[in-house]
Amino acid sequence: MSKRKGDLALRTAHASPPANANAGAVSAFSFGDPEPISRIQLLDYVESMFNGRWYEPPLPWEGLASAFRASPHHGSAIFLKRNLLKTMFVPHARLSSATFGAMALDFLVFGNAYVEQPRAMTGRALALQHALAKFTRRGQEAGRYFFVRGWQHEHEFAAGSVFHLREDDVNQEIYGLPEYISALQSAWLNESATMFRRKYYANGSHAGFILYLSDAQVSTTDADALRDALKAAKGPGNFRNLFLHAPGGKAEGLKLIPVSEVAAKDDFAAIKNVSKDDVLAAHRVPPGLLGIVPTNAGGFGNAPDALGVFIENEIRPLMQRFRELNEWAGEELVRFVVTERAAANPSA
């Protein structure tokens, strides 16, 4: 046989394994939920699609509304900004404190806020009404808006009667997006870690073990008695001791194998702390203002000073954004008063 024919025969032998080659093969697989595609990554491709009547939002507003309560620090930071804005807001006859508070919450959660200007039969402007940002959609023509609660449940506002305050976005100019988008993964990680720990304790595996009995000295009757004793250890007062007497038994005949050691090492505290820091960094909120207990000896510093800096750097710019409503309404409807107690520089 030539060298070439020998190489060909060798390749043929490798390409055709025997029928029983996979008889002792080990296969490994895992169960898990399918990973959803994040619509955040689709912003660079689709922006805001036009469906023939209005533009669809670049992100599902239902997801942002659900994420609002995913992490305690995420929701608390938004409520803190809303509460400070509402506290320093001066109510107007056409813009109540409740309407402004709802408008501010929508803007902080969705990056969009809407108010409708109803008018009397004589054309006189009435009090502004809040329109939920979760269901409000912008039409193709300027000043045209729809209120869409579901399929075939839409309402079109009167032309030019809706004021839209939007946070700037680099991918499109139809809808705004909130500033905390980059911290959503951390907020969901915080929620997932908490839910995992809850399911872990609800499952009861933190107290589970495998009792491995291989000693031939223990009869079936003794094994049944041991099984009954373990079953009886459930319920209130289950921290009980068990006594097993096996004369002549082997040292390794009875083993207690815990099953919760691996699951308990999920680094729960580290995940919670890291995700918390990410969320607070996205909102730029001092941790001392959210009631977080410091873990270091130095603490978080002086709370009033931190509040003054926070108002100056974060709340005042938000006030300026909401003052854009005055230009649209042709009247000073949005006014704020920063008290000495709330601001570090009361004369500003």
Side-chain angles (χ1 to χ4, degrees):
M1 179 183 295
S2 64
K3 183 178 184 299
R4 184 174 181 180
K5 292 183 178 179
D7 293 341
L8 179 60
L10 182 61
R11 287 196 300 269
T12 305
H14 283 288
S16 302
N20 59 349
N22 296 327
V26 178
S27 61
F29 59 94
S30 61
F31 295 99
D33 297 330
E35 291 293 333
I37 298 177
S38 175
R39 287 192 61 182
I40 298 176
Q41 299 177 355
L42 301 182
L43 281 173
D44 298 332
Y45 302 98
V46 300
E47 296 184 351
S48 296
M49 295 181 295
F50 184 67
N51 65 2
R53 300 192 66 188
W54 58 78
Y55 287 98
E56 297 292 344
L59 284 179
W61 294 153
E62 294 81 4
L64 292 182
S66 176
F68 174 47
R69 293 177 173 84
S71 166
H73 310 99
H74 175 54
S76 181
I78 292 177
F79 275 127
L80 173 64
K81 294 180 180 181
R82 193 283 308 267
N83 292 341
L84 290 175
L85 286 169
K86 191 174 179 179
T87 299
M88 293 179 280
F89 173 73
V90 179
H92 191 275
R94 290 175 52 199
L95 183 60
S96 64
S97 178
T99 301
F100 173 78
M103 178 183 177
L105 185 62
D106 270 358
F107 183 74
L108 294 172
V109 173
F110 300 101
N112 299 274
Y114 305 87
V115 286
E116 179 188 8
Q117 176 61 83
R119 294 188 178 275
M121 296 295 296
T122 59
R124 180 175 60 89
L126 303 177
L128 294 175
Q129 297 181 0
H130 169 243
L132 289 170
K134 182 178 179 180
F135 305 106
T136 305
R137 303 290 184 266
R138 179 177 172 178
Q140 188 175 25
E141 297 81 9
R144 188 180 184 186
Y145 289 88
F146 298 84
F147 193 79
V148 183
R149 279 193 172 270
W151 177 253
Q152 294 183 345
H153 291 85
E154 73 257 9
H155 160 72
E156 183 174 359
F157 296 99
S161 64
V162 174
F163 169 73
H164 181 193
L165 180 64
R166 57 178 292 272
E167 187 61 74
D168 298 330
D169 180 40
V170 298
N171 292 299
Q172 43 83 38
E173 56 183 8
I174 305 300
Y175 295 101
L177 286 179
E179 298 179 350
Y180 60 81
I181 290 294
S182 59
L184 276 179
Q185 299 294 343
S186 297
W188 288 325
L189 176 62
N190 192 298
E191 180 189 33
S192 298
T194 304
M195 292 302 299
F196 170 78
R197 185 53 63 97
R198 281 192 59 207
K199 293 178 181 179
Y200 173 70
Y201 278 101
N203 185 47
S205 62
H206 59 281
F209 59 87
I210 297 175
L211 187 62
Y212 180 65
L213 180 61
S214 62
D215 196 343
Q217 297 292 333
V218 180
S219 63
T220 304
T221 304
D222 296 333
D224 293 339
L226 180 60
R227 184 186 300 109
D228 295 338
L230 290 174
K231 291 181 178 180
K234 295 182 179 180
N238 57 353
F239 293 98
R240 303 172 185 174
N241 298 321
L242 293 176
F243 173 74
L244 177 64
H245 179 58
K250 299 180 181 178
E252 298 294 331
L254 182 65
K255 291 183 180 180
L256 186 67
I257 306 174
V259 298
S260 60
E261 293 299 323
V262 176
K265 297 178 182 178
D266 59 335
D267 214 0
F268 177 72
I271 294 175
K272 297 285 287 186
N273 289 330
V274 171
S275 58
K276 174 197 68 178
D277 294 341
D278 289 346
V279 171
L280 294 185
H283 288 289
R284 299 178 298 277
V285 177
L289 302 182
L290 298 182
I292 299 176
V293 179
T295 57
N296 57 342
F300 296 133
N302 192 313
D305 292 343
L307 177 60
V309 174
F310 178 69
I311 290 178
E312 195 67 26
N313 294 342
E314 296 296 329
I315 302 302
R316 283 188 183 275
L318 286 174
M319 293 178 179
Q320 192 62 30
R321 292 301 312 272
F322 285 104
R323 289 191 180 99
E324 297 177 13
L325 175 60
N326 298 336
E327 303 176 6
W328 178 83
E331 184 180 353
E332 190 180 11
L333 304 181
V334 180
R335 295 174 296 170
F336 298 96
V337 173
V338 182
T339 62
E340 295 184 2
R341 182 178 180 182
N345 187 6
S347 60

